[in-house]
Amino acid sequence: MRFLQAAAILQSTASLLRLPPIAQAFVLSSPKIQGVHYYLLQTSSIAISRPPQKQLVGVTTSTSSIAKATTATTATTTLLQATSAPKSYFSSLTDFSPMPDLTYPLLTAQNATTTNAIINHYAQSESFTTLSTFEGNAILQRDAEDDTKLQKGIDIAKAKGVIDPKFIPEEYIAIDVLGKNPEEVAEEILTTVRSSSSSGNKGAAGGGVVVICGLSGTGKGTTVSTLQQKLESDEGKQVVCWSNGNIFRSVTLLAATWCEQQQQQQQQHADESNGGGDDDGDITKALTKENLAEFMTMLSFGKFKDGKYDTRICGLGLDCLVSEVQNTELKGPKVSKNIPTVAEVTQGEVILFAAEAIRQMGEDGIFVLLEGREQTVNYVRTPLRFTLTLSDLSLIGKRRAAQRLAAGVLDEVKEGASVEEIEVALDGQLAKMVKEASA
């Protein structure tokens, strides 16, 4: 009822002041409403939220119960973009619903709603701005470093003749995720998929391959998860989320096994001749062009068990399916410590293996969702390739900061903690993280 009363007050005020109906912003302060709420007055509805990240354009705050917007010509969409606030702050609040409180269930969800609520909670916090700037810069720096290392691997593959240096991928479709929730981004992608289907490509009519790229923090993982859910639940598709990680680990396992066998042979010869063996276990000795080509013949992709697609490792005394060893041998010490070295020189081999595996599944009626860096996914043929962008890069840091804060609080508070306890814990985590970032 209090929200309906507020709506009536705002509509009356708009009428008296003869304000244009396209989009006006007001601030209403009331002892009956916790905090200050921002209202967007449109032609037929009012949406409520707590203060967005930046003060709404044209809004002046005062001690009076209602502060009039000082501009009257800004369209609603432009106004929302000017706030740099995710669209979900406003578009999902159609029944006079305020931004959710920072409850324990909200934190445990660890989704876009969680991060949005934390970002909104610290909208005016200098400490949060400091932390988010630190996190954003760190992400962009890591991305740049990763791109440099990855490009080095691609150049090695081209020099070896493993991949075509003149290869040109299909054009990417850019999607600016600013102001969009994961469902909206996924639906935008699916619209293109359906259009591709109606144009004669496989698309939603059968299998297909959807490639998703973008900077860290643009929501690639969340988008892939949402796409999978929509394709499976809404459209009844069989979906596989592909990652090259296990293929790199499989090659590393073979390289490490080769080194072990070489050491054993050398030790045996040394024992027979009473000499010293060379047991340094240098993984780079296994990474010759000839060895890598042989290792790749020991990997095969197909339907092996219960009619399910899998990767088989067969060679050097090994014979196993990746699905059966992905959480054991493939994550053991001899793989983990060597994978960076192996990955640098096997980009081309893994790219080609993955491209063939993905092609098989797509032609078999399976939807394959592939997330990764452009340098690697470029070599997977598909017209359904998207790159997620963010026109306000500051949100990358804000999202990561909010994710860290939520995780930190969940480690600190007990299940069922009150909103007040959670807010105190958030403040403590924020102070600690800012101190660490400033060290």
Side-chain angles (χ1 to χ4, degrees):
M1 178 64 69
R2 65 188 181 187
F3 295 130
L4 295 177
Q5 292 172 345
I9 294 172
L10 290 173
Q11 289 172 334
S12 298
T13 303
S15 176
L16 288 172
L17 297 174
R18 298 181 181 179
L19 298 178
I22 52 171
Q24 290 300 310
F26 294 85
V27 178
L28 179 66
S29 177
S30 168
K32 295 183 180 181
I33 302 177
Q34 182 179 6
V36 178
H37 292 72
Y38 284 72
Y39 292 78
L40 289 178
L41 180 60
Q42 302 175 5
T43 54
S44 60
S45 67
I46 296 177
I48 280 181
S49 80
R50 289 182 182 175
Q53 292 165 254
K54 296 179 182 178
Q55 185 174 325
L56 292 174
V57 172
V59 176
T60 57
T61 57
S62 70
T63 56
S64 61
S65 60
I66 297 179
K68 186 185 73 175
T70 57
T71 59
T73 59
T74 307
T76 303
T77 53
T78 304
L79 185 61
L80 292 179
Q81 290 176 352
T83 68
S84 299
K87 186 177 179 181
S88 55
Y89 283 169
F90 303 101
S91 64
S92 63
L93 306 172
T94 54
D95 287 326
F96 311 107
S97 304
M99 282 293 291
D101 287 327
L102 293 167
T103 63
Y104 188 85
L106 177 69
L107 288 186
T108 56
Q110 293 186 303
N111 56 18
T113 302
T114 309
T115 55
N116 285 350
I118 294 175
I119 291 172
N120 187 76
H121 178 72
Y122 286 118
Q124 308 300 325
S125 170
E126 292 184 6
S127 294
F128 184 77
T129 299
T130 298
L131 179 62
S132 61
T133 300
F134 172 81
E135 293 292 340
N137 289 339
I139 289 172
L140 295 177
Q141 182 178 347
R142 284 195 299 270
D143 275 0
E145 292 173 351
D146 289 346
D147 283 344
T148 299
K149 293 177 182 177
L150 190 55
Q151 189 58 51
K152 182 179 179 181
I154 297 295
D155 292 340
I156 290 173
K158 290 179 179 178
K160 291 190 299 185
V162 176
I163 56 178
D164 183 2
K166 297 182 180 179
F167 182 91
I168 299 177
E170 294 89 343
E171 185 177 355
Y172 282 86
I173 300 170
I175 298 179
D176 187 355
V177 301
L178 179 67
K180 300 173 184 175
N181 59 40
E183 288 74 18
E184 290 171 318
V185 175
E187 191 57 42
E188 192 168 338
I189 292 173
L190 286 176
T191 298
T192 302
V193 171
R194 298 184 189 108
S195 175
S196 177
S197 172
S198 64
S199 300
N201 296 316
K202 291 185 180 64
V209 180
V210 178
V211 168
I212 298 178
C213 303
L215 290 172
S216 297
T218 52
K220 299 186 299 298
T222 305
T223 299
V224 167
S225 297
T226 305
L227 275 173
Q228 181 178 13
Q229 186 273 327
K230 284 179 173 290
L231 285 167
E232 291 178 339
S233 301
D234 300 346
E235 305 194 18
K237 303 301 180 183
Q238 184 178 356
V239 181
V240 170
C241 296
W242 178 270
S243 170
N244 288 344
N246 280 336
I247 309 304
F248 281 115
R249 289 182 177 276
S250 299
V251 179
T252 304
L253 177 63
L254 288 167
T257 301
W258 183 91
C259 285
E260 290 176 345
Q261 294 179 356
Q262 291 297 306
Q263 289 177 261
Q264 293 170 0
Q265 292 176 10
Q266 291 172 6
Q267 188 62 47
Q268 183 178 353
H269 293 322
D271 291 342
E272 292 174 354
S273 62
N274 295 320
D278 179 10
D279 60 350
D280 60 4
D282 183 2
I283 195 72
T284 59
K285 294 180 180 179
L287 305 180
T288 64
K289 180 179 179 180
E290 295 73 22
N291 277 357
L292 290 177
E294 185 176 0
F295 294 159
M296 295 309 298
T297 66
M298 300 176 187
L299 299 180
S300 56
F301 183 82
K303 294 181 178 179
F304 295 103
K305 188 175 181 180
D306 300 328
K308 296 181 179 179
Y309 279 109
D310 209 334
T311 300
R312 181 186 182 190
I313 306 171
C314 187
L316 299 178
L318 300 170
D319 190 356
C320 54
L321 298 178
V322 165
S323 64
E324 297 174 343
V325 298
Q326 61 184 351
N327 293 319
T328 53
E329 282 92 334
L330 293 186
K331 290 190 177 178
K334 71 178 181 181
V335 171
S336 298
K337 71 178 182 180
N338 289 312
I339 194 169
T341 302
V342 175
E344 182 177 311
V345 297
T346 56
Q347 290 291 339
E349 288 82 358
V350 171
I351 285 170
L352 294 184
F353 182 90
E356 175 58 22
I358 291 169
R359 183 193 64 78
Q360 287 184 43
M361 289 188 288
E363 292 182 354
D364 196 26
I366 297 174
F367 250 100
V368 183
L369 304 180
L370 176 61
E371 173 197 346
R373 302 279 185 180
E374 284 191 21
Q375 293 101 318
T376 57
V377 300
N378 276 347
Y379 294 87
V380 175
R381 284 295 187 192
T382 177
L384 302 173
R385 50 201 326 123
F386 304 86
T387 181
L388 305 187
T389 65
L390 193 55
S391 52
D392 181 2
L393 290 179
S394 71
L395 278 178
I396 291 178
K398 290 175 182 176
R399 287 175 176 175
R400 183 59 55 87
Q403 289 166 354
R404 287 192 62 200
L405 288 171
V409 170
L410 285 174
D411 287 339
E412 179 181 340
V413 302
K414 297 180 179 179
E415 184 176 356
S418 67
V419 172
E420 290 74 17
E421 290 172 331
I422 288 173
E423 289 180 349
V424 169
L426 276 170
D427 289 343
Q429 289 290 328
L430 178 58
K432 182 177 73 173
M433 292 180 187
V434 169
K435 184 177 179 180
E436 292 171 350
S438 303

